[in-house]
Amino acid sequence: MLAAMSATADSPGSPVAAVARNGGGDACPGALRLHRADDGALARVRIPGGVLTADQGRVLLDAAERLGDGALHLTSRGNVQLRGLRREHGPELSELLVAAGLLPSVHHERARNVVASPLAGLDGLGHGGLRSWLVELDALLCGSERAAALSGRFLFALDDGRGDMTALGADLTLLAGPDGRATLRIGPGDTGTPLPVPCAMAPRAALLAAEAFLDLAADPGIWRVSALPEDVRAALPAEVARRAGLVPPAERPAQAAQAAPSEPAAAGAPAPGAVTGPGGRTALHVGVPMGRLTAGRWRALLETAEHHGSGELRCTPWRGVVVPGLDAAAARQALDSLAGAGLVTGAGSPWSGVGACVGRPGCAKSLADVRAEAEAALGPAGRLPVYWSGCERRCGHPHGEWIDVVATPEGRRITHVRGDTRATPVTVRDDPAALAAAVAAARGIRA
């Protein structure tokens, strides 16, 4: 495999070329399909559930420092992007990722889009850990020839029952319930159709649902469940139930429906700081300003995981990192150290809830350096998160309720978003002070 991966994308028989030819119908970047950006090529490394060992984290840092811009960039799906690469770095990067176990299948690397509750099994909430689901689902995906056709945008979510994954708009969500029960939600958010499944077959049911989606979609230009024609989308749950040997939702008796586990209310990102769980072990959840992990910040996290924790890190869909397995005394000291490295360790940080796309100069489509604007507008922590976008595409924007700031030719448009509902926008022209005041007001920050 390593020898094969050293071939370039220009070689017709190479795995890189195969991925380029069979990319799931969209131009979503991956670890093998590099994306051209104004600051160089971009590689997106899928990390199912955001779970990394410290050794894998060091490999990513080595790649970022030797081949890229020296930083790791977290995405809204808990993945890691490397920026500032040269096109010729592709083969060397793939070698590093294969050796670290971060690229188990060249044909499925963009299909491994799986988010998971980052505090599952760490704080005593929810219904236990999700590791067995995560490992099995990833193996099933990589072993399915059909799943290789999934778009890089198709998303699986594993929720331990606390509801933190339900607002992320996943195509398929596995929800852990009490007493070993589980639910497969087919479709995003509250519009998804719940299908009760035995806990032991939950990952298999999710794979069957993804394969059924591909078969029913027919059109390779349909990348998400929400994009299916209404009649096809309505037929999908019954088809999944048939393939999995389950009772379709429409045929379930009333008593079975009443016995099904209740759907959790949507929950947001966990607060930054120390989280104490069963047995007195502590996990640290820290936010990463703008999702950009400089080498110094990433090394601080790696050293905390290696010397004080379990040796594991979990990247979150809110551009944060969880370090599990510390004792209480070590956790207090480590939290102070991570705060000194510039990470968000408490809800009172002005960076709490603030995000932005890469903006200028990294993206040619961006109309502004929105990261610099976001930093200039920092103030006290607000009630609502705010996300700054350099153009109407809003790459990486959050879900749920948030303040949307978009650069337009007329100025910066500020909108309060609640799910699919948008309030009347306010546009602020070139006036940094007025812009900062308007964003603060929208976030619920009092002067």
Side-chain angles (χ1 to χ4, degrees):
M1 173 65 80
L2 292 179
M5 291 299 299
S6 67
T8 69
D10 296 327
S11 174
S14 74
V16 179
V19 171
R21 291 193 301 269
N22 301 291
D26 69 309
C28 206
L32 299 178
R33 173 185 285 179
L34 303 188
H35 172 75
R36 292 185 183 275
D38 270 20
D39 57 351
L42 176 156
R44 183 174 299 161
V45 184
R46 264 71 175 188
I47 304 172
V51 178
L52 287 167
T53 66
D55 287 342
Q56 290 174 326
R58 291 197 180 280
V59 169
L60 290 174
L61 179 59
D62 174 55
E65 291 190 304
R66 290 196 301 106
L67 309 178
D69 67 0
L72 304 181
H73 303 262
L74 301 183
T75 78
S76 59
R77 293 183 170 186
N79 294 320
V80 170
Q81 292 187 159
L82 304 176
R83 302 189 67 97
L85 302 165
R86 291 199 298 269
R87 300 293 296 188
E88 60 267 27
H89 285 153
E92 183 176 356
L93 176 61
S94 64
E95 288 273 0
L96 292 171
L97 297 179
V98 168
L102 290 168
L103 195 60
S105 170
V106 295
H107 293 290
H108 296 81
E109 61 102 4
R110 295 193 316 140
R112 300 170 69 230
N113 283 313
V114 186
V115 293
S117 301
L119 292 180
L122 300 179
D123 60 357
L125 301 179
H127 300 293
L130 297 171
R131 187 58 53 85
S132 62
W133 276 5
L134 183 61
V135 171
E136 184 178 356
L137 178 58
D138 191 30
L140 288 170
L141 280 171
C142 291
S144 166
E145 182 178 347
R146 190 74 181 99
L150 287 171
S151 160
R153 305 186 188 197
F154 195 92
L155 180 63
F156 298 85
L158 308 182
D159 192 308
D160 70 350
R162 72 185 65 215
D164 58 349
M165 297 292 104
T166 61
L168 299 185
D171 297 276
L172 299 169
T173 303
L174 284 177
L175 291 153
D179 305 320
R181 292 178 290 171
T183 300
L184 172 63
R185 181 186 288 168
I186 303 170
D190 295 335
T191 65
T193 300
L195 181 66
V197 298
C199 190
M201 74 166 297
R204 179 68 180 168
L207 174 68
L208 291 173
E211 293 175 338
F213 159 78
L214 289 169
D215 293 340
L216 294 181
D219 183 351
I222 295 178
W223 304 327
R224 308 294 304 274
V225 169
S226 58
L228 287 170
E230 187 174 347
D231 59 334
V232 177
R233 182 176 175 185
L236 181 57
E239 176 62 16
V240 174
R242 184 189 68 78
R243 295 186 183 200
L246 302 171
V247 178
E251 298 177 15
R252 291 169 55 217
Q255 61 268 30
Q258 293 172 358
S262 59
E263 296 275 315
V275 180
T276 302
R281 304 306 291 178
T282 299
L284 302 182
H285 173 226
V286 300
V288 179
M290 299 296 176
R292 185 174 183 272
L293 280 163
T294 61
R297 289 172 179 170
W298 190 233
R299 284 196 180 92
L301 286 165
L302 291 172
E303 290 169 4
T304 300
E306 287 181 315
H307 301 312
H308 304 291
S310 63
E312 175 183 287
L313 302 105
R314 302 183 185 183
C315 302
T316 79
W318 306 283
R319 295 181 172 87
V321 178
V322 172
V323 184
L326 289 78
D327 64 40
R332 287 191 294 270
Q333 296 177 357
L335 209 57
D336 289 341
S337 176
L338 294 175
L343 294 160
V344 178
T345 59
S349 167
W351 282 109
S352 184
V354 178
C357 71
V358 69
R360 285 183 176 174
C363 176
K365 294 184 182 295
S366 180
L367 301 179
D369 183 351
V370 287
R371 292 193 169 192
E373 292 183 355
E375 184 171 6
L378 280 181
R383 182 182 71 84
L384 293 174
V386 57
Y387 195 80
W388 298 68
S389 300
C391 73
E392 298 286 359
R393 295 185 304 166
R394 297 179 178 84
C395 294
H397 71 75
H399 297 269
E401 188 177 9
W402 51 289
I403 302 302
D404 180 35
V405 183
V406 180
T408 72
E410 292 74 34
R412 305 297 174 264
R413 188 175 66 241
I414 305 167
T415 312
H416 186 167
V417 179
R418 295 183 183 89
D420 294 330
T421 304
R422 289 178 168 269
T424 302
V426 173
T427 297
V428 178
R429 296 189 180 275
D430 297 331
D431 185 336
L435 177 60
V439 171
R443 299 187 69 198
I445 301 173
R446 296 182 178 179

